[in-house]
Amino acid sequence: MKRLLRLVPLLALACTVWLPTSRVAQAEEISVTQWGSSLYGLPYAMAMDRGLFKKSGVDITGILGSGGGGTTVRNILASKTPYGEVAVSAALAAARQGLDIVIVNVGTRSVAEASMVTMPDSPVRSINDLVGRKVAITSPKSVSEMLFLMVLREKGVDASKITRVASGGYVNGMTMLEQGAVAGAVAIEPLSLVRKAKYRTLYRAGDILKPMTTSVGITTRAFAQSHPDTLRAIIAGRRAGVDATYADPAGAAKLLAAQFKLPPDIAREAVDNMIRARMWSPGQFDRAELDRVADGLRLIGEIRDDVDWTKLIDTRFLPADLRAKGQP
């Protein structure tokens, strides 16, 4: 009994030491737009699968998915760990609404996953052949509409001479195409690869448009102030996931196939396409690529004025080498 009593202070001390460590190791969830249906989130999957978040100092064990836009932003704001990757348009819309958000890293910087398809026997052989016809976009002021209008402008085609039909989604648009309701439909990988035998690709947006920032990491200003180390660890872990994806395309494709339930050959083609376009940014900001997406958003009326990126972006949480590479 006396020996047990002498152990009590030691046990108390052990508990005191253990408790903070358990808090650090506590599982965290973050949000990523279009998780499970687009390629935005592959570096996060790689980082979780290979323990890269843990090596960076944070235990990310789950991703909250959503259909994108305001839904993802709301998921982020409601989360215990309010960090997530969203489309640039969603981040700007949240800021305009007065929400307490700040942009802390770049997610993706290519539109290589976007394309337009038509039927194999369609008389539409070029973008100019769309004049006087209908095409399916997902919704008004969507990224799909923005990229379509940017492609038309780049090719000198009058957008007013092509009727845009809101389908409600990529699959819906392809159904309309098959039924003859439209002459072309916007598509996105990996869906376009899964169905590639059914359609003919009219153009790939990445072959026509220059790189632009398409998604960004955001958090609340309050969280950035109170948990800077957690934020740095998340960004560093994602960056390690990006590096791992580029270094091991075969491993990334295998993971993508398992997560998306894709045929292995389709997953590998999708990963190779995005690696070729350098879709995933390690995290640094590029002013020219930011301004290109702002230009596209003005084209669809999502924004009207120039964006003052310096008021929205905080680079302090990026690794030092990425902070030095580009400033907004």
Side-chain angles (χ1 to χ4, degrees), residues 43-305:
Y44 296 92
M46 287 288 281
M48 287 190 294
D49 183 67
R50 301 192 176 187
L52 301 175
F53 280 121
K54 285 185 178 180
K55 289 181 181 179
S56 297
V58 64
D59 188 12
I60 302 297
T61 58
I63 302 291
L64 299 174
S66 73
T71 303
T72 307
V73 174
R74 287 190 291 273
N75 284 348
I76 293 168
L77 296 179
S79 175
K80 186 182 70 173
T81 306
Y83 169 88
E85 187 169 317
V86 302
V88 174
S89 56
L92 295 179
R96 287 197 306 273
Q97 294 166 17
L99 298 179
D100 176 39
I101 66 110
V102 61
I103 299 172
V104 291
N105 68 287
V106 169
T108 51
R109 34 95 48 203
S110 172
V111 293
E113 78 279 11
S115 62
M116 177 164 286
V117 297
T118 188
M119 298 304 293
D121 59 351
S122 170
V124 175
R125 295 286 169 178
S126 72
I127 295 173
N128 288 301
D129 292 337
L130 292 173
V131 172
R133 304 178 190 270
K134 297 178 181 180
V135 301
I137 59 170
T138 58
S139 61
K141 295 188 177 184
S142 62
V143 171
S144 68
E145 182 181 36
M146 180 187 82
L147 296 181
F148 177 55
L149 292 179
M150 293 180 82
V151 166
L152 293 181
R153 184 177 62 181
E154 188 69 21
K155 291 296 185 179
V157 178
D158 187 348
S160 67
K161 295 182 179 179
I162 301 173
T163 302
R164 301 187 294 279
V165 180
S167 67
Y170 290 104
V171 174
N172 297 348
M174 291 175 173
T175 299
M176 294 175 68
L177 178 64
E178 292 172 18
Q179 294 175 345
V182 294
V186 293
I188 192 169
E189 293 189 22
L191 176 64
S192 57
L193 297 178
V194 172
R195 297 187 169 205
K196 65 181 179 179
K198 301 179 66 174
Y199 311 113
R200 174 165 45 83
T201 300
L202 186 63
Y203 67 78
R204 292 179 175 83
D207 293 338
I208 300 171
L209 302 177
K210 293 180 179 179
M212 66 186 78
T213 305
T214 47
S215 67
V216 288
I218 67 169
T219 188
T220 65
R221 293 185 186 274
F223 186 79
Q225 183 175 356
S226 61
H227 294 79
D229 291 339
T230 300
L231 194 53
R232 290 187 182 96
I234 293 172
I235 293 172
R238 181 199 170 275
R239 190 249 186 105
V242 170
D243 292 342
T245 301
Y246 287 133
D248 184 13
K254 184 177 180 180
L255 182 61
L256 181 68
Q259 294 238 338
F260 282 32
K261 296 179 174 58
L262 294 173
D265 60 325
I266 295 294
R268 183 59 192 263
E269 185 177 356
V271 170
D272 286 347
N273 287 346
M274 297 308 103
I275 286 178
R276 192 177 305 113
R278 305 300 290 181
M279 175 186 184
W280 300 286
S281 167
Q284 75 269 21
F285 294 95
D286 183 300
R287 180 59 184 265
E289 295 181 3
L290 286 165
D291 286 342
R292 284 184 196 124
V293 76
D295 180 49
L297 293 171
R298 279 192 294 272
L299 197 59
I300 58 174
E302 180 66 21
I303 62 174
R304 294 185 178 181
D305 303 318

